[in-house]
Amino acid sequence: MVRNKGGLSGKEKAAVLLVSLGMEKASAIYKHLKEDEIEQLTMEIANLRKIEPEVKNKVMEEFYQVCLAQNYISEGGITYAKEVLERALGSQKAIDMINKLTSSLQVRPFEFVRKSDPTQVLNFIQNEHPQTIALVMAYLKPQQAAAILSMLPADKQTDVASRIAFMRGTSPDIVKEVERVLEKKLSSLAISDFTSTGGVQSLVDILLAVDRSTEKHIMEELELKDSELTEEIRKRMFVFEDIITLDNRSIQRVLRDVDNSVLVLALKGVSDDVTRALFANMSKRLQEMVREDMEFMGPVRLRDVEDAQQKIVNIVRKLEEAGEIVISRGGGDEIIA
């Protein structure tokens, strides 16, 4: 039975709303949803038993208020919507409604840039300060940012990459000023606090998508400036589970340099996909030895397992740097056998 004392999840509210609207209207809404969304909502509807009138009324009222808020935003923007909603609902409810709506819309700063061609974006920002370029790129999709990073002058690539890595919370006021300077309208997501973007993982996602020469250049330059940052990036660019992305020949080459005791420890608790990939590239004799050692090993510390996995990752990186294996990444980095 649906709870009638509040605390409904978003999916539950959506299910209640669709049932309340009736079959005809619900089917019309379904036409605008993705397959996974339809599947999830259908499951929620199937799990509904009895909808209490007060629950139905509360959900319908919230939906009505969201529709009004969206209209207000379309007509006059966030500030106008907030003022109107404050008069109707009170200050706190207005803020809650705006935050719910902007969150559901997934509106982000620089949304106009995310919909543009990378070459056009490059022409738009290439003469800006590296920090400005880094801020804009941190909001882009990794593939899009990677294309722009590849097209930047070599001397600017490392500077921008470094600034992305060290970027933390960015004040909405700063974002607004950057967009003002770039003569573009600020995204409708204008909530207080700080917008979290950038950081090491953001840079890693971008580097994974750039072409190999750009990645190598940036990593070499970063190594000279900050070896600790470079090491952290390397750790995130290839983790033990990524070994399944290697071709069979590369896995076999890696295994030749891995001590059996390290391999046995590294395989404790890993996914079936990783185990299958590694065992498929071992001799039957080695498979039997590893299985037997794993069976008699008993419980081990997680830290020891992670250390063993990192040793294998280090071997993978060493072999790649030596050109003995190839790690397939983005940026049109096709592999020719």
Side-chain angles (χ1 to χ4, degrees), residues 184-252:
K184 291 292 182 178
K185 185 179 180 180
L186 179 65
S187 166
S188 59
L189 179 57
I191 58 177
S192 58
D193 220 345
F194 288 85
T195 302
S196 179
T197 189
V200 176
Q201 190 56 50
S202 180
L203 176 59
V204 168
D205 292 340
I206 293 172
L207 290 178
L208 286 172
V210 300
D211 60 90
R212 190 66 56 122
S213 60
T214 300
E215 175 201 318
K216 184 178 180 181
H217 167 73
I218 291 174
M219 292 298 288
E220 288 175 350
E221 291 295 317
L222 283 178
E223 178 73 43
L224 298 175
K225 292 184 175 182
D226 193 326
S227 59
E228 290 185 6
L229 170 62
T230 307
E231 182 63 21
E232 177 63 22
I233 291 172
R234 285 198 177 108
K235 287 181 179 179
R236 298 195 190 191
M237 289 184 73
F238 188 94
V239 296
F240 182 71
E241 288 74 14
D242 291 335
I243 203 164
I244 63 175
T245 65
L246 300 178
D247 61 83
N248 291 336
R249 184 182 301 175
S250 295
I251 294 177
Q252 292 164 17

Side-chain angles (χ1 to χ4, degrees), residues 49-117:
R49 293 296 180 266
K50 181 181 179 182
I51 305 175
E52 300 293 343
E54 60 183 277
V55 174
K56 173 184 174 181
N57 293 337
K58 185 176 180 181
V59 170
M60 294 292 285
E61 177 62 23
E62 182 177 342
F63 175 66
Y64 174 69
Q65 290 177 357
V66 168
C67 290
L68 281 181
Q70 186 167 352
N71 286 336
Y72 295 151
I73 290 174
S74 300
E75 292 173 9
I78 291 290
T79 302
Y80 171 76
K82 185 171 178 291
E83 290 178 357
V84 175
L85 291 171
E86 279 182 342
R87 294 178 183 177
L89 307 174
S91 180
Q92 189 55 52
K93 283 189 176 181
I95 292 173
D96 291 343
M97 185 61 63
I98 291 292
N99 288 344
K100 276 183 183 179
L101 185 58
T102 53
S103 175
S104 66
L105 291 175
Q106 295 183 335
V107 183
R108 299 186 63 190
F110 302 104
E111 186 65 25
F112 67 93
V113 181
R114 292 164 63 84
K115 298 176 181 178
S116 303
D117 179 81

